[in-house]
Amino acid sequence: SILTAAISSDNYQGGALAADTIAKLAHDTGQVAVINTIKGISTTDLRQNGFLAEMKKYPNMQVVAADYDGDLLTKAEALSRALILSHPKLVGIFGTNLFSAQGAGQGVAAAHVQGKVFVAGYDAEPAEITLLKQGVINILVIQNPAAEGSLAVQDAYWALTGNKSMIKKSVLLANVVATTANMNNP
């Protein structure tokens, strides 16, 4: 109630985008899993919920796990290795944050299933970009922090100059997807 405006990325839409992109790469068939960070974090929970809801649109795809890694890269890697061993039809893992995605990618690489198990991550941290370039991570859902900052400065200006009617109370910005195929396209 004390906020003048709230500007953020649409985390639910980002999770759905990860689901759609994994489904496309896997030709709408196979098993998928989510590795989330810590239960109860609103942003990553929304990403997971968007992913799980969107996966329901693919009748030939099955969600086999939704695990938590405690925001530990090593645990995310161990979880992904266990998923690969226990689910031979696994085609995708969605890591809801940096460590979840990076760990999933490292698990896929260690199991030698790159190109068979697609890893989707969130954000565009340097470690994730490196793994995207190597094909260890195949999909990155990318936010638009420049637009978030620009809108925040604009709203601050309007608030300070008495033009609060120009301010939208809540703005959710759509995310975009970078893949190994399009990562060089601005």
Side-chain angles (χ1 to χ4, degrees):
S1 65
I2 63 169
L3 291 177
T4 301
I7 303 161
S8 67
S9 296
D10 187 339
N11 288 291
Y12 189 91
Q13 176 263 347
L17 201 52
D20 289 334
T21 310
I22 286 176
K24 182 178 178 181
L25 291 175
H27 306 288
D28 301 345
T29 303
Q31 298 176 330
V32 296
V34 179
I35 298 178
N36 200 342
T37 178
I38 299 168
K39 191 172 189 163
I41 297 175
S42 62
T43 54
T44 55
D45 285 352
L46 282 168
R47 294 168 189 176
Q48 176 175 312
N49 293 343
F51 182 85
L52 296 174
E54 194 71 10
M55 270 298 154
K56 292 178 182 175
K57 296 179 181 179
Y58 300 98
N60 295 322
M61 298 194 81
Q62 176 189 14
V63 177
V64 295
D67 293 319
Y68 293 90
D69 62 20
D71 207 23
L72 299 169
L73 187 144
T74 54
K75 187 168 181 185
E77 181 177 352
L79 286 169
S80 67
R81 285 177 172 221
L83 287 165
I84 292 163
L85 287 173
S86 60
H87 299 285
K89 293 181 182 176
L90 190 71
V91 295
I93 301 172
F94 173 42
T96 63
N97 77 342
L98 167 64
F99 292 144
S100 301
Q102 189 176 353
Q106 290 174 351
V108 165
H112 306 289
V113 291
Q114 284 179 244
K116 295 178 186 171
V117 177
F118 301 105
V119 176
Y122 216 95
D123 294 324
E125 298 290 336
E128 290 174 305
I129 297 296
T130 298
L131 294 175
L132 183 70
K133 289 177 180 177
Q134 295 170 353
V136 173
I137 290 178
N138 312 93
I139 303 155
L140 287 177
V141 177
I142 300 174
Q143 302 177 68
N144 190 345
E148 288 179 28
S150 175
L151 287 171
V153 169
Q154 185 178 50
D155 286 350
Y157 173 78
W158 284 332
L160 292 171
T161 59
N163 291 313
K164 287 188 178 183
S165 65
M166 300 293 291
I167 301 170
K168 290 183 182 177
K169 186 74 175 169
S170 179
V171 175
L172 290 176
L173 297 172
N175 299 278
V176 297
V177 168
T179 65
T180 50
N182 75 3
M183 69 180 159
N184 293 319
N185 182 349

